[in-house]
Amino acid sequence: MTKYGSFPGTRPRRLRTTPAMRRMVAETRLHPADFILPAFVREGVSEPVPISSMPGVVQHTRDSLKKAAVEALEAGVAGIMLFGVPEEAKKDAFGTPGTDPDGILQVALRDVRAEVGDELLVMSDLCLDETTDHGHCGVLDDQGRVDNDATLERYAEMAQVQADAGAHIVGPSGMMDGQIGVIRDALDQIGREDVAILAYTVKYSSAFFGPFREAVGSSLKGDRKTYQQDPANARESLRELALDLEEGADMVMVKPAGPYLDILARVADASDVPVAAYQISGEYSMIEAAAEKGWIDRDKAILETLTGIKRAGAQNILTYWATEVARNLR
């Protein structure tokens, strides 16, 4: 074949020739300890309840949750993030099950901590949305708006009962102004300086949360646009980051992950604490649904999305595939 000039003088393809070559020069590698498993536990059920919009994910019983925690531990997963689903009749305007020591989330925290001890990080969602009869992440004022400062008082109580129940890490996800500082103070006041805070620093008002509503039995009417971030905005993410770090966040999170990789990269560049990202329910369900149709290769798509999230800067990834992927990586 005739060659024209000296081109190609450089051949990047040499480093792509075989699987062994590609593996050797890979810049991003997934590891089981990268992953955190989100898990739902439902009060008053005797068998796990499948979540129709999230194939393969269930609302656990207390017993099946303990089994899932052990499986995650054995696979090498770093932690498990628990979400409690109380009986509908127990919900009220103030989210009382969220601060009841015998509420389903607190019971589940004690169960899991007794099962895995300190070998698996036991994490708790710190928010009111699963426990309120209106489905919002906070207390409402007399005009039906989320009252930021009244909500902070509830978050302080939640942090204390979750710490007492055994949480290694609490995850405030409500996007209330000042929540990290209030929670840190509440924990320190009861001598729980050892409990870490994973701040949901960047949480967008996303259409991809849809299947999660089913997973937690949400009672929400309307939306959360007055407290979750506008998908059109980026700069405010760095403002939220600066505030959370100043207030004492030990780790920070970007949620959702996939649609906001640009935000994740900016936060990772600016943060001096570990950065996590949450591959949320809608991201999970899209891949599962497309794979079920035969439109994409499920396993390859899962690994590609997780690699992209880590490449963008996430040190840890909350994903419903945590245990499955961790097993396959070992």
Side-chain angles (χ1 to χ4, degrees):
M1 177 179 176
T2 302
K3 297 190 71 174
Y4 298 94
S6 59
F7 302 100
T10 302
R11 296 182 182 270
R13 286 181 57 188
R14 291 188 188 113
L15 300 183
R16 306 171 194 153
T17 52
T18 67
M21 178 69 81
R22 294 190 293 273
R23 187 166 58 247
M24 184 181 76
V25 301
E27 299 173 30
T28 305
R29 301 179 193 276
L30 297 172
H31 186 277
D34 295 336
F35 302 123
I36 297 165
L37 175 67
F40 308 100
V41 57
R42 179 171 169 179
E43 187 173 25
V45 295
S46 57
E47 297 290 338
V49 179
I51 300 167
S52 64
S53 55
M54 299 179 69
V57 180
V58 301
Q59 295 172 324
H60 284 286
T61 66
R62 291 173 59 185
D63 286 339
S64 70
L65 177 65
K66 289 188 288 185
K67 181 181 178 182
V70 171
E71 290 173 349
L73 170 61
E74 292 173 344
V77 170
I80 185 168
M81 174 69 78
L82 303 186
F83 296 83
V85 184
E87 294 176 348
E88 194 69 27
K90 293 184 179 179
K91 296 180 182 180
D92 60 26
F94 302 98
T96 298
T99 50
D100 180 354
D102 293 321
I104 183 59
L105 179 53
Q106 287 70 253
V107 169
L109 286 167
R110 291 194 292 272
D111 286 345
V112 174
R113 186 65 186 274
E115 195 76 17
V116 300
D118 292 331
E119 294 185 72
L120 181 73
L121 290 171
V122 180
M123 312 162 85
S124 57
D125 178 59
L126 200 165
C127 195
L128 288 170
D129 59 317
E130 295 104 79
T131 60
T132 54
D133 56 11
H134 48 72
H136 277 286
C137 297
V139 177
L140 304 184
D141 64 18
D142 56 7
Q143 297 183 53
R145 303 170 301 190
V146 174
D147 185 325
N148 190 93
D149 295 2
T151 299
L152 294 182
E153 295 181 21
R154 299 289 293 134
Y155 286 2
E157 295 177 61
M158 291 184 76
Q160 292 176 339
V161 296
Q162 290 178 2
D164 286 342
H168 292 103
I169 300 170
V170 295
S173 60
M175 292 299 288
M176 295 297 120
D177 295 340
Q179 64 184 14
I180 303 305
V182 166
I183 289 167
R184 181 73 271 158
D185 189 51
L187 291 169
D188 292 351
Q189 283 183 20
I190 61 168
R192 296 312 305 268
E193 295 89 351
D194 57 323
V195 175
I197 299 176
L198 170 57
Y200 283 60
T201 292
V202 180
K203 185 177 181 182
Y204 282 94
S205 180
S206 173
F208 293 96
F209 287 133
F212 183 87
R213 306 280 189 254
E214 178 189 353
V216 298
S218 175
S219 303
L220 180 67
K221 303 293 190 295
D223 58 51
R224 297 177 174 139
K225 294 181 183 296
T226 63
Y227 44 104
Q228 294 178 351
Q229 288 179 227
D230 185 341
N233 295 344
R235 281 194 299 269
E236 66 179 334
S237 299
L238 297 183
R239 187 182 187 198
E240 294 279 5
L241 173 65
L243 290 168
D244 282 356
L245 293 176
E246 181 182 351
E247 292 173 24
D250 299 289
M251 296 167 280
V252 296
M253 188 197 295
V254 174
K255 181 180 182 180
Y260 298 95
L261 295 181
D262 59 323
I263 306 301
L264 174 58
R266 292 176 69 168
V267 169
D269 285 345
S271 177
D272 61 356
V273 301
V275 175
Y278 197 146
Q279 186 180 52
I280 67 169
S281 59
E283 299 176 72
Y284 173 93
S285 297
M286 286 193 302
I287 289 176
E288 290 289 350
E292 190 275 331
K293 291 284 189 180
W295 294 340
I296 61 172
D297 184 308
R298 176 185 180 275
D299 293 348
K300 290 180 180 178
I302 291 169
L303 286 178
E304 185 174 339
T305 55
L306 292 171
T307 299
I309 294 166
K310 188 171 182 182
R311 188 185 63 243
Q315 183 171 332
N316 295 106
I317 304 169
L318 286 85
T319 176
Y320 299 98
W321 291 301
T323 302
E324 174 187 342
V325 173
R327 282 175 178 154
N328 292 337
L329 290 174
R330 289 172 75 91

